[in-house]
Amino acid sequence: MLLKRETKMETVRIVAQWVVGLGILNVWLLRPKKATAYRGGDATNMKEEFAVYGLPGWFMVVIGVCKVTIALMLIIGTWMPQTVRPAAIAMAVLMTGAVLMHLKVKDTFKKTSASIAMLILAVFIAITAS
């Protein structure tokens, strides 16, 4: 019985890794210049969103490189489990920053919800990774 539970939890964790990984890759590689319901303030793209938060353009590049790298580590973690916990912890730190930026500019819950969901998933992945 314990083996089945561990296998199910591992499966749920791997699905969460892919959800976070693909979600982050979607935002940073496919949609950085597009408006979404989750952009901070009245921003219509990633550059404007970082400006809304009062952050410089170079910081957007640093965060983007970090998030894309971490997202790839989560996906690669399906085959290389040693990458999962460090990647999940790093993603949780970055998503905490994202939530705080949404709170800083007094965004609605809807605009903040994607960051909160990614934060929760990252914490879950970090806790359940072996």
Side-chain angles (χ1 to χ4, degrees):
M1 183 68 162
L2 184 58
L3 183 59
K4 283 185 178 181
R5 183 176 298 151
E6 287 177 7
T7 304
K8 287 179 184 177
M9 186 62 72
E10 181 179 359
T11 301
V12 171
R13 189 194 74 245
I14 290 170
V15 168
Q17 288 169 217
W18 279 82
V19 167
V20 173
L22 292 176
I24 295 298
L25 293 176
N26 175 50
V27 169
W28 283 90
L29 299 180
L30 301 178
R31 301 179 61 96
K33 295 181 180 180
K34 296 182 179 176
T36 75
Y38 308 105
R39 294 255 181 247
D42 293 325
T44 60
N45 60 54
M46 189 74 69
K47 187 175 180 179
E48 288 178 12
E49 184 172 15
F50 271 70
V52 164
Y53 299 142
L55 301 171
W58 64 265
F59 195 69
M60 180 187 78
V61 175
V62 170
I63 294 299
V65 168
C66 290
K67 283 191 175 182
V68 167
T69 301
I70 294 164
L72 292 172
M73 287 174 65
L74 288 171
I75 293 168
I76 291 167
T78 304
W79 302 279
M80 298 176 63
Q82 67 272 22
T83 67
V84 175
R85 181 169 280 136
I89 291 168
M91 186 62 75
V93 169
L94 291 175
M95 295 317 299
T96 298
V99 170
L100 291 173
M101 290 296 103
H102 282 288
L103 294 175
K104 174 185 175 184
V105 298
K106 297 178 176 41
D107 275 336
T108 63
F109 177 76
K110 179 180 180 178
K111 286 183 178 253
T112 312
S113 63
S115 297
I116 292 170
M118 290 293 179
L119 172 58
I120 291 168
L121 286 172
V123 169
F124 167 77
I125 295 164
I127 289 170
T128 59
S130 50

